[in-house]
Amino acid sequence: MASITTDSTPFADPEGFERAAELMSSAGRITVLTGAGVSTDSGIPDFRGPQGVWTKDPSAEAMADFDTYMGDVTVRRQVWLSRRAHQAWSAEPNAAHRALADLAGTGRLRALITQNIDGLHQRGGTPEDEVVEVHGTMLWVRCMRCSLRTPAEEVLARLDEESDPKCRRCGGIQKSDTISFGQRLDPEVIERAAQAARECDVFVAVGTSLSVHPVAGLCDVAMMARADLVVINAEPTPYDDFASAVLRDPIGDVVPALVERVRSRAGA
């Protein structure tokens, strides 16, 4: 099958692209779920892809375990150094982040649910109150004893003198305000995400393996509410067979093209 071109960008599955574009441009409410694949063009590697952090170094996944972090000061020291060196501090929003901000500008974005912790959606222009960070944010640090939140840069600045910086209010163990394996998700945040999934016409999953629950189950919530599912991901996901459209094209190309269709229909 010959490929077509939209804004000079070829797409591997023209029919799939057109189907996704029509669904999104005719929807009154669109909920988007993003994963690590959205930020790879900003220089932040994903986790489970062929070049993912955990694919290339399986031992790195163990550092994301909550109980291990809380019980092993050596692991905490490694995590703090890793956090300070994270690519997100120098990363800039890419074309997909900016396109999703443009989608918000059409008034059709019900919510942007993200598994990412890098804050690039907000920096890319999506309003803070429309972003649901289900796995938290690395931009803040939380005390595990008294729950004090402190800007991460303030805590990271102490690493030259303190290898495991403690809370300055109560002396408790501090941790990036993100959700680790074995750590409970915030039920209010998850309910907010589920409500956005229930209240949309189209649910778009972008750059996520859809293998981590309960977040992946938001696809089920949306489909049970009769929303169409669009999956945009380089690798197959467990939800591909249930989606109305599955696109394998580069996220930085296909997401802006889809949003441009929505904006054209909306007259934005």
Side-chain angles (χ1 to χ4, degrees), residues 87 227 252:
Q87 297 92 333

Side-chain angles (χ1 to χ4, degrees), residues 80 83 89 137-141 150-157 176:
W80 282 120
R83 187 64 78 212
W89 299 115
T137 173
M138 62 175 285
L139 305 185
W140 289 83
V141 166
T150 306
E153 289 182 317
E154 291 183 16
V155 178
L156 295 175
S176 179

Side-chain angles (χ1 to χ4, degrees), residues 15 27 82 112 149 165 173 186 194 240:
E15 293 182 2
S82 175
L112 197 167
R149 292 181 87 229
I173 293 174
D186 185 329
D240 291 357

Side-chain angles (χ1 to χ4, degrees), residues 39 186 213 216:
S39 291
D186 185 329
H213 286 267

Side-chain angles (χ1 to χ4, degrees), residues 57-79:
D57 181 12
S59 65
E61 188 169 357
M63 293 175 63
D65 179 78
F66 180 71
D67 290 336
T68 301
Y69 179 88
M70 293 298 293
D72 191 332
V73 65
T74 300
V75 169
R76 288 201 298 276
R77 288 169 177 162
Q78 291 176 326
V79 170

Side-chain angles (χ1 to χ4, degrees), residues 57-234:
D57 181 12
S59 65
E61 188 169 357
M63 293 175 63
D65 179 78
F66 180 71
D67 290 336
T68 301
Y69 179 88
M70 293 298 293
D72 191 332
V73 65
T74 300
V75 169
R76 288 201 298 276
R77 288 169 177 162
Q78 291 176 326
V79 170
W80 282 120
L81 292 174
S82 175
R83 187 64 78 212
R84 183 170 67 176
H86 199 284
Q87 297 92 333
W89 299 115
S90 58
E92 294 294 333
N94 61 51
H97 295 117
R98 294 191 293 270
L100 291 171
D102 289 339
L103 178 62
T106 69
R108 299 189 184 197
L109 182 67
R110 171 61 183 80
L112 197 167
I113 305 164
T114 186
Q115 296 169 283
N116 297 341
I117 61 173
D118 51 40
L120 289 177
H121 283 303
Q122 295 93 320
R123 288 179 55 201
T126 301
E128 182 81 35
D129 61 358
E130 296 187 23
V131 180
V132 183
E133 295 174 312
V134 290
H135 289 162
T137 173
M138 62 175 285
L139 305 185
W140 289 83
V141 166
R142 183 181 294 273
C143 174
M144 295 293 97
R145 179 187 294 167
C146 73
S147 296
L148 176 69
R149 292 181 87 229
T150 306
E153 289 182 317
E154 291 183 16
V155 178
L156 295 175
R158 297 162 53 191
L159 287 179
D160 290 335
E161 289 76 34
E162 305 171 61
S163 60
D164 181 28
K166 297 295 192 296
C167 174
R168 283 189 161 159
R169 183 165 73 183
C170 75
I173 293 174
Q174 295 191 108
K175 177 184 172 298
S176 179
D177 197 12
T178 56
I179 303 297
S180 300
F181 290 120
Q183 189 174 6
R184 185 170 178 259
L185 293 167
D186 185 329
E188 292 184 4
V189 173
I190 292 301
E191 175 51 33
R192 184 182 168 202
Q195 184 174 354
R198 288 191 295 266
E199 296 178 352
C200 68
D201 303 306
V202 177
F203 189 89
V204 185
V206 187
T208 170
S209 65
L210 296 177
S211 61
V212 178
H213 286 267
V215 176
L218 294 171
C219 295
D220 299 296
V221 173
M223 289 187 292
M224 289 177 65
R226 306 185 73 81
D228 285 291
L229 174 65
V230 174
V231 174
I232 305 171
N233 197 56

